[in-house]
Amino acid sequence: MANSMARSFLQVAATEEVASPLRVVQIEGVVILKIIKHCKEFSPALVTGQLLGLDVGSVLEVTNCFPFPIREEDEEIEADGANYQLEMMRCLREVNVDNNTVGWYQSTILGSYQTVELIETFMNYQENIRRCVCIIYDPSRSNQGVLALKALKLSDSFMELYRANNFTGEKLREKNLSWVDIFEEIPIKVSNSALISAFMTELESDTPVKQCDYDRLQLSTKPYMERNVEFLIECMDDLSMEQQKFQFYYRSLSRQQAQQQAWLQKRRTENMARKAAGEEPLPEEDPSNPIFKPIPEPSRLESFLVTNQIANYCNQINGVAGQNFNRLYLMKSLHDN
């Protein structure tokens, strides 16, 4: 009986250790308003802040946040920023507010957030936090009438490769990892307390809107489209440079293989002559020869990130162009009537 109880206890403990996958990020409405206010106040400068909340099963609850001070890249200032973060969390703990770190938020310009710096920040957070997310807010895209807010995390397969620092073609094929598998977007659910929901219901007008919102029919999206196309051209140039690196690598590899074959053929001919003379044959491999030194394959991480960014810009241009066509057809119908 005791053994069965011990086994059942161990089974329960083992099942509790297996974390359920993260399925949704539940954010309180006040937190979203804080993030939007902070990002818009300092736009176009990029800002970041800390997310606080609870990790409950497959739901990551974000109940509070606070901004980080804007600082330059300096070791002393970075230390001050870390002290500021610890002091803020201590103050929140004293007033009985959730002070568990669940990630961070940051602003971006036209969705240009897929960088090596973001991945490094994720890895630093992962060292101390089992599960964390990054909330990305884009003020420039939100000006087009869309709440550009998304929650991201790194995929487990990508983190495994990043820890090994091995992004060769062979490893990527082995893990079946492509450029779309770097980040995982987690659905966001906005949550409000019953008191806030009741207050918002009272604020709603019973009568229909009498004045049309003409801003929704604004046809000019020229600055937004221009900047998207400019960023897209820059990314295409970066991708072309990455492709040139791989072309140079494969040319060098082909040249080295040709030199190895020539050296091997020469050595085999020499060994045939030595056998005919009754001498010992020489080894067909010479590690000290420079032509047998392996050429390191360049990392594909940067090209993956650039490809991700290009896809993001294309989706944004496609979305804005589709909305513009809808507005044009609507205005044409109004004009004809």
Side-chain angles (χ1 to χ4, degrees), residues 201-316:
T201 304
E202 289 184 359
L203 291 179
E204 292 180 359
S205 177
D206 295 334
T207 59
V209 179
K210 296 180 180 179
Q211 183 180 1
C212 295
D213 187 5
Y214 292 106
D215 292 340
R216 296 180 183 273
L217 300 177
Q218 184 180 0
L219 301 178
S220 175
T221 55
K222 182 179 178 182
Y224 183 79
M225 291 288 287
E226 280 184 353
R227 296 191 67 186
N228 262 291
V229 174
E230 288 175 1
F231 285 3
L232 179 60
I233 293 173
E234 291 178 3
C235 283
M236 293 300 295
D237 292 338
D238 294 339
L239 185 61
S240 176
M241 293 178 62
E242 291 296 320
Q243 289 177 343
Q244 290 177 6
K245 291 181 183 178
F246 283 99
Q247 290 174 358
F248 178 77
Y249 164 74
Y250 283 115
R251 284 198 299 268
S252 302
L253 187 62
S254 177
R255 190 183 309 115
Q256 185 189 54
Q257 290 175 350
Q259 292 175 351
Q260 290 174 355
Q261 289 295 327
W263 184 90
L264 188 59
Q265 186 65 30
K266 180 179 178 182
R267 176 57 60 91
R268 287 174 178 172
T269 304
E270 185 178 353
N271 283 338
M272 291 176 63
R274 293 175 66 89
K275 283 183 180 181
E279 299 177 358
E280 287 290 331
L282 298 174
E284 294 188 355
E285 293 183 1
D286 187 4
S288 62
N289 197 321
I291 64 174
F292 287 99
K293 184 179 180 181
I295 301 176
E297 182 178 348
S299 173
R300 298 177 185 263
L301 176 60
E302 194 65 35
S303 61
F304 272 27
L305 292 174
V306 174
T307 306
N308 251 320
Q309 202 61 62
I310 290 174
N312 190 28
Y313 290 141
C314 290
N315 291 334
Q316 290 180 169

Side-chain angles (χ1 to χ4, degrees), residues 40-135:
K40 283 194 172 182
E41 281 181 351
F42 292 91
S43 181
L46 302 180
V47 296
T48 60
Q50 189 86 312
L51 297 176
L52 306 174
L54 299 170
D55 185 1
V56 183
S58 61
V59 180
L60 196 67
E61 298 180 3
V62 182
T63 57
N64 200 1
C65 69
F66 63 86
F68 290 154
I70 298 179
R71 60 183 185 272
E72 301 294 334
E73 294 295 332
D74 193 339
E75 291 184 359
E76 295 183 359
I77 300 179
E78 285 183 1
D80 293 339
N83 294 332
Y84 166 81
Q85 178 181 347
L86 295 175
E87 184 66 19
M88 278 292 298
M89 296 180 70
R90 185 186 64 81
C91 294
L92 291 173
R93 184 170 59 251
E94 289 179 355
V95 296
N96 199 23
V97 176
D98 290 338
N99 63 336
N100 300 315
T101 302
V102 294
W104 79 102
Y105 70 86
Q106 68 179 53
S107 60
T108 184
I109 299 177
L110 297 177
S112 55
Y113 57 85
Q114 302 188 28
T115 59
V116 178
E117 289 76 16
L118 178 63
I119 295 175
E120 291 176 350
T121 307
F122 259 117
M123 300 305 295
N124 291 333
Y125 270 81
Q126 287 285 343
E127 291 180 359
N128 302 314
I129 306 173
R130 184 168 58 90
R131 289 194 302 194
C132 66
V133 295
C134 177
I135 304 295

Side-chain angles (χ1 to χ4, degrees), residues 178-189:
S178 64
W179 57 271
V180 296
D181 300 323
I182 298 178
F183 296 100
E184 293 181 6
E185 185 172 353
I186 311 299
I188 293 178
K189 178 183 177 182

Side-chain angles (χ1 to χ4, degrees), residues 129-148:
I129 306 173
R130 184 168 58 90
R131 289 194 302 194
C132 66
V133 295
C134 177
I135 304 295
I136 305 290
Y137 177 72
D138 191 345
S140 58
R141 191 180 175 198
S142 296
N143 293 333
Q144 304 298 318
V146 179
L147 180 59

Side-chain angles (χ1 to χ4, degrees), residues 3-23:
N3 291 336
S4 62
M5 291 178 63
R7 282 197 300 269
S8 62
F9 176 77
L10 292 175
Q11 290 172 0
V12 171
T15 55
E16 288 181 352
E17 289 180 358
V18 179
S20 57
L22 182 61
R23 302 194 182 279

